[in-house]
Amino acid sequence: MEKKHMSAFELYKTLSPDLPPTATKSPLQVANKKKRKKENGASKVSPLKAQIKPERKPERKKMRKTSAQREESLNEITKDEERVNGHGEAGEALDALLADLTKVNNSKERASKLFQWFINPIPVKSFFRETWEKKPILVQRKNPDYYKGLFSTAEFDRILRQDEVQYGVNLDVTSYTNGKRETHNPPGRALPFTVWDFYESGCSLRLLNPQAFSSTVWNVLSTLQEQFGSMAGANVYLTPPGTQGFAPHYDDIEAFVVQLEGKKHWRVYSPRSEDEVLPVLSSTNFNQTNIGKPILEVVLEAGDLLYFPRGFIHQGDCLPDAHSLHITVSSFQKNSWGDLLHKVVPAALEIAMEEDVEFRQGLPLDYLTYMGVQNSDKDDPRRTKFFSRVEHLMKKLTTYAPVDAAVDQKARVFLHDCLPPMLTPEELATSVLGASARWEHGQVMDVGAKITAKTRVRVLRGGCARLCSDGEAVHLYYTTENSRVYHKEQLKSFEIKVEHTDAIEFLIHSYPKFVTVGSFPCDSAEDRITLAELLFERGIIHTADAL
């Protein structure tokens, strides 16, 4: 019998609580990063390996617990987790909030205000002091409209119909049944006809980098990245009733699970050992038998927020009576002290070898006879002397550590990861993107607008540009020409003349104030105008008033 296609919303309308539940069937040398796509962790299967035959679609089967039984088993929370009740407060609607934020003059202050709304009613300072990287926290608001406007299933459907969504690149089809996690990505474009058939068969849908398709998600993430000082990413998850799409695992990112529609049953577990606290990499998929008991078990409903640090094992499944749509906002991947030292230590050693003869002196002739694992149990005074020498050189190494240069290397990675800023109407009107030059009535119009010494300018965002030294040359790195698609563009930079570096620093440090071009600390009026025009054309600065 021919099956009639239904959109997600139509499908939800046909679901009855009495139906049997269904089950399921992301100079110093900087190493190149491989971006792994994950459900906050689960490894992505190659599209070629993920091709499946029709008979491999997940089969429906009964859940082990009824909705009532599961909800009765919830609400056990240990001291390692904190619950916050939002008391059903309405909060400010997201579209109104984003409109209000355009009036905030400082982009860093804008980011702080948005994050405060995001985790409300938890104060931002207490969150970073008491919770960040330490423990999960749950915000239950009893307000299903709190995050309304951020993303919806209707927008998911629109994206499938209007945008070029590719399996394995932008969308993953997943299932987790009988302890087995599978990815079911066919090759090619993800079209509604096939995607919603997968969903109807019990598969979860994961939309990767929704910021590439949704202007609202782009706006939120590009603002929050200034709060974190690290890339803010996101995935969207749509899960059918009574199913689970991913196995238990932990991630290498700080995760904020925002429930947008329906509800989802979550279990969160403490790291199993000290080695898994704030891990460097995400885990493989775990079996249910080797993760212990959850420290938090809860049903998230629309408007609720769940945060957990990297290293906390988690899994989520849908109750039989409702679908789930949530977005996971993530940050702080590879942003630890150890990641910084990965850049500092090799460079420090290279400098020390070049400048300090003590690091170039030869090892003892007989050191192999008393050092090494096979000699580690020896009680030999030469071993004590050897360790003492190593300790001395390690301490001395810190004096050669190029910390600022290493931080600049981290900053370059961040600037490459960053989303481009989403301009406010005022910024658009006063930047190169809103310049009035155009073709009209058979001729070019409004090309004569010029920057003068009296023109007031500032950088577009507090963190959109950074000066870094590459050996003898100085480059300005910037985010304004980045793509909404992760690393679609190369890192943007251009060389700055040495005599212009003071003016660039002056501009960056003056933010959020506007300054006149004539106040740039350059050698001549011509240099000031030339530099301002260059920065304006790259979208790095905008003017106080439209040119």
Side-chain angles (χ1 to χ4, degrees):
M1 180 181 294
E2 186 177 354
K3 186 183 298 182
K4 183 181 179 182
H5 168 72
M6 290 183 290
S7 71
F9 275 170
E10 290 301 314
L11 178 60
Y12 302 151
K13 293 174 185 177
T14 68
L15 293 172
S16 166
D18 297 326
L19 290 176
T22 57
T24 57
K25 164 175 177 216
S26 203
L28 296 170
Q29 293 182 345
V30 182
N32 291 326
K33 279 199 312 184
K34 291 184 178 179
K35 179 74 173 178
R36 298 195 308 159
K37 295 184 175 72
K38 48 197 180 293
E39 186 261 354
N40 306 318
S43 299
K44 177 176 77 68
V45 177
S46 164
L48 293 177
K49 295 182 179 179
Q51 295 182 32
I52 63 170
K53 298 178 181 179
E55 63 268 19
R56 292 200 57 195
K57 283 187 181 179
E59 298 177 356
R60 298 174 180 266
K61 70 174 190 175
K62 290 186 178 181
M63 298 282 286
R64 287 172 293 181
K65 286 185 178 181
T66 68
S67 175
Q69 287 173 331
R70 177 164 290 134
E71 294 203 51
E72 285 178 4
S73 69
L74 304 181
N75 305 323
E76 292 185 2
I77 300 173
T78 72
K79 63 183 179 181
D80 296 319
E81 178 274 335
E82 184 177 346
R83 182 192 298 264
V84 176
N85 192 322
H87 303 296
E89 57 199 59
E92 185 174 6
L94 179 57
D95 56 352
L97 173 68
L98 293 176
D100 288 343
L101 289 179
T102 64
K103 303 168 187 174
V104 177
N105 191 42
N106 188 330
S107 62
K108 294 184 184 300
E109 184 182 345
R110 198 179 303 163
S112 180
K113 287 180 179 292
L114 178 60
F115 187 64
Q116 178 61 81
W117 171 87
F118 194 69
I119 64 171
N120 190 55
I122 306 167
V124 171
K125 288 184 178 179
S126 65
F127 172 80
F128 284 109
R129 182 178 63 249
E130 301 166 7
T131 305
W132 178 253
E133 293 190 319
K134 297 181 180 69
K135 62 181 180 181
I137 195 165
L138 169 66
V139 179
Q140 293 177 307
R141 293 196 174 90
K142 305 299 182 185
N143 176 12
D145 293 332
Y146 190 83
Y147 293 112
K148 186 176 181 180
L150 180 54
F151 198 84
S152 67
T153 319
E155 186 165 14
F156 203 133
D157 189 71
R158 176 195 62 76
I159 289 168
L160 291 175
R161 296 180 182 282
Q162 298 180 4
D163 293 304
E164 189 74 19
V165 177
Q166 295 287 323
Y167 286 110
V169 177
N170 312 115
L171 183 75
D172 283 331
V173 179
T174 70
S175 66
Y176 178 69
T177 308
N178 298 325
K180 186 178 182 181
R181 157 77 167 84
E182 292 184 278
T183 299
H184 307 287
N185 291 340
R189 181 177 172 183
L191 292 168
F193 180 85
T194 307
V195 171
W196 293 127
D197 189 50
F198 272 122
Y199 175 87
E200 191 176 1
S201 299
C203 287
S204 289
L205 307 176
R206 171 175 60 185
L207 181 65
L208 306 162
N209 62 285
Q211 58 271 24
F213 306 103
S214 166
S215 294
T216 302
V217 176
W218 167 31
N219 194 354
V220 168
L221 295 183
S222 64
T223 302
L224 289 178
Q225 67 193 8
E226 286 203 56
Q227 174 69 35
F228 297 128
S230 177
M231 182 186 113
N235 289 335
V236 169
Y237 303 90
L238 179 61
T239 309
T243 68
Q244 181 169 342
F246 296 88
H249 65 277
Y250 63 71
D251 296 318
D252 60 349
I253 46 87
E254 303 298 297
F256 297 84
V257 178
V258 176
Q259 192 69 27
L260 301 172
E261 295 174 11
K263 55 187 178 180
K264 198 166 197 177
H265 167 226
W266 283 90
R267 285 167 284 176
V268 181
Y269 309 76
S270 290
R272 299 179 302 173
S273 67
E274 282 295 316
D275 292 341
E276 293 180 356
V277 174
L278 304 180
V280 175
L281 298 173
S282 296
S283 72
T284 56
N285 295 327
F286 293 122
N287 295 320
Q288 300 290 344
T289 56
N290 61 5
I291 56 178
K293 294 183 179 180
I295 62 166
L296 167 63
E297 187 169 10
V298 68
V299 171
L300 281 190
E301 299 185 357
D304 292 347
L305 171 71
L306 173 63
Y307 159 81
F308 45 82
R310 54 197 190 276
F312 278 75
I313 300 168
H314 53 278
Q315 60 178 322
D317 61 275
C318 262
L319 299 175
D321 60 345
H323 77 287
S324 169
L325 179 75
H326 80 265
I327 184 169
T328 297
V329 174
S330 61
S331 191
F332 247 58
Q333 186 180 54
K334 299 187 182 302
N335 206 41
S336 68
W337 284 102
D339 291 306
L340 176 63
L341 290 175
H342 267 304
K343 303 181 184 303
V344 172
V345 174
L349 187 57
E350 184 177 338
I351 295 169
M353 290 282 288
E354 183 177 319
E355 297 184 2
D356 192 330
V357 67
E358 194 171 1
F359 285 86
R360 301 195 299 270
Q361 290 173 347
L363 293 163
L365 297 177
D366 58 348
Y367 80 102
L368 294 178
T369 65
Y370 57 87
M371 296 305 297
V373 174
Q374 71 178 32
N375 301 309
S376 59
D377 293 332
K378 283 186 176 182
D379 185 14
D380 190 320
R382 293 176 297 175
R383 287 179 59 81
T384 303
K385 185 177 180 181
F386 194 94
F387 279 118
S388 178
R389 182 65 179 274
V390 170
E391 182 180 3
H392 164 71
L393 291 175
M394 292 292 287
K395 290 180 178 178
K396 197 174 185 181
L397 189 63
T398 61
T399 63
Y400 298 100
V403 176
D404 283 327
V407 168
D408 282 343
Q409 285 290 349
K410 286 287 293 175
R412 290 181 204 180
V413 173
F414 171 45
L415 292 177
H416 192 196
D417 291 345
C418 273
L419 285 164
M422 183 173 178
L423 304 189
T424 67
E426 292 77 11
E427 289 169 341
L428 180 61
T430 57
S431 73
V432 68
L433 294 178
S436 58
R438 66 198 183 279
W439 178 269
E440 189 175 287
H441 303 308
Q443 60 183 326
V444 175
M445 306 285 288
D446 293 345
V447 178
K450 299 293 184 182
I451 291 176
T452 70
K454 294 182 179 180
T455 304
R456 294 165 57 234
V457 298
R458 71 171 184 179
V459 291
L460 196 63
R461 289 286 190 278
C464 74
R466 187 180 184 92
L467 272 180
C468 297
S469 175
D470 297 327
E472 296 181 357
V474 178
H475 284 76
L476 184 66
Y477 294 83
Y478 59 101
T479 67
T480 53
E481 294 180 0
N482 283 4
S483 169
R484 288 163 63 177
V485 177
Y486 180 77
H487 284 191
K488 182 179 180 180
E489 302 289 339
Q490 296 294 319
L491 176 61
K492 303 297 183 181
S493 71
F494 56 91
E495 187 172 348
I496 293 292
K497 295 179 180 179
V498 175
E499 57 268 28
H500 289 168
T501 56
D502 286 346
I504 298 292
E505 289 182 359
F506 170 70
L507 262 173
I508 291 174
H509 295 153
S510 294
Y511 184 85
K513 295 179 180 179
F514 285 92
V515 296
T516 62
V517 172
S519 66
F520 286 10
C522 294
D523 293 337
S524 68
E526 182 181 359
D527 279 353
R528 298 183 188 101
I529 300 296
T530 300
L531 178 60
E533 288 177 341
L534 173 62
L535 298 176
F536 184 81
E537 290 169 3
R538 299 296 178 102
I540 297 170
I541 63 173
H542 70 116
T543 57
D545 302 295
L547 293 178

